[in-house]
Amino acid sequence: MRYSLLIGLLFFVGITRAQQEQFEHSSSWNTFTVKAAINENWFVKSEFNFRRTNFLQDWEQFVLRPSVQHKLNPLITVGIGYTFIQNYSYSEFSTPIDTQENNLWQQLFIKQPFHSFTLSHRVRFEERFQDRTSTIDGHSEIIGSNYANRLRYRFIVEVPVFKKTKISVLAYDEVFLDFEKSLQPQKLDQNWMFLGLRFQENEHITITSGYHNINIPRNEILINNHIWETSVVFTL
């Protein structure tokens, strides 16, 4: 049932792409994450995301995401966190002026190890507080804040290819469902797809790098972002 739902969502994304006018841009996303254990079951993380676009010419976003997480067992982890997002105005289809978002979130992460690969599932529910803008006679300003809920589901596949050097292929698809102000999904907000390599240099440093594609439907417009993304996780 779970995999049927995922296939159905991907099919829906494909239909949506075919029906909308597309705006394309290319970005470079780079993330540095620090992770520290409190004890064997509790740990803290903080992500720093530096996102630039138009071939590195312009800022797209800066994201700060600290969290506290708890391992229920070796396969299941739950967590709560906060996200600060600085959105930049970089094109005709982005926000008209620089805006900010603050959100709180709760997360469930489940690993399913198999003989030759690992499946993982990440479910995150966000309570979002976003700057609201108004444009009159070409002048834009922030006039308040909007509240909305959003659910994110990420399906992850990791396949080791060189066990001695701890290199694996990593792929995922993540669906974002906009709940608006309700507790039921109202529309598709975004879809993320990633394919790359993960390298664990040692017990402290893990590096992931690859191609990341994002589709964002907005009314009759589909924003398609081609990204090369690199992330470094440092475990204290």
Side-chain angles (χ1 to χ4, degrees), residues 16 19-23 216-223:
T16 302
Q19 293 176 342
Q20 294 177 307
E21 181 182 359
Q22 294 191 40
F23 287 93
I216 306 175
R218 292 292 179 265
N219 298 322
E220 297 181 357
I221 299 172
L222 180 69
I223 302 169

Side-chain angles (χ1 to χ4, degrees), residues 51-166:
R51 300 172 176 176
R52 296 185 67 86
T53 191
N54 297 327
F55 298 101
L56 299 175
Q57 295 180 24
D58 304 305
W59 274 103
E60 183 178 353
Q61 286 182 323
F62 170 76
V63 180
L64 172 64
R65 184 178 286 121
S67 65
V68 179
Q69 304 197 34
H70 174 60
K71 293 181 180 180
L72 297 177
N73 58 50
L75 302 180
I76 301 176
T77 302
V78 295
I80 57 173
Y82 160 77
T83 304
F84 168 78
I85 304 175
Q86 176 69 57
N87 296 300
Y88 294 92
S89 177
Y90 58 87
S91 74
E92 62 185 64
F93 53 81
S94 67
T95 176
I97 57 175
D98 295 353
T99 61
Q100 295 181 356
E101 175 180 338
N102 296 272
N103 70 56
L104 304 173
W105 49 268
Q106 306 80 45
Q107 180 174 288
L108 171 66
F109 187 86
I110 302 173
K111 291 182 66 174
Q112 292 181 283
F114 294 89
H115 176 68
S116 57
F117 63 95
T118 300
L119 299 181
S120 301
H121 311 269
R122 193 187 76 182
V123 181
R124 177 182 293 171
F125 192 79
E126 300 173 327
E127 297 87 34
R128 310 172 70 199
F129 301 86
Q130 303 167 284
D131 283 346
R132 180 162 51 97
T133 62
S134 175
T135 302
I136 301 177
D137 297 329
H139 174 72
S140 298
E141 62 179 352
I142 297 171
I143 59 172
S145 179
N146 282 334
Y147 172 79
N149 297 319
R150 184 169 67 181
L151 179 71
R152 301 170 56 168
Y153 168 66
R154 179 179 292 190
F155 177 74
I156 309 160
V157 182
E158 185 171 1
V159 183
V161 288
F162 300 108
K163 292 185 179 180
K164 290 185 178 181
T165 52
K166 296 184 179 180

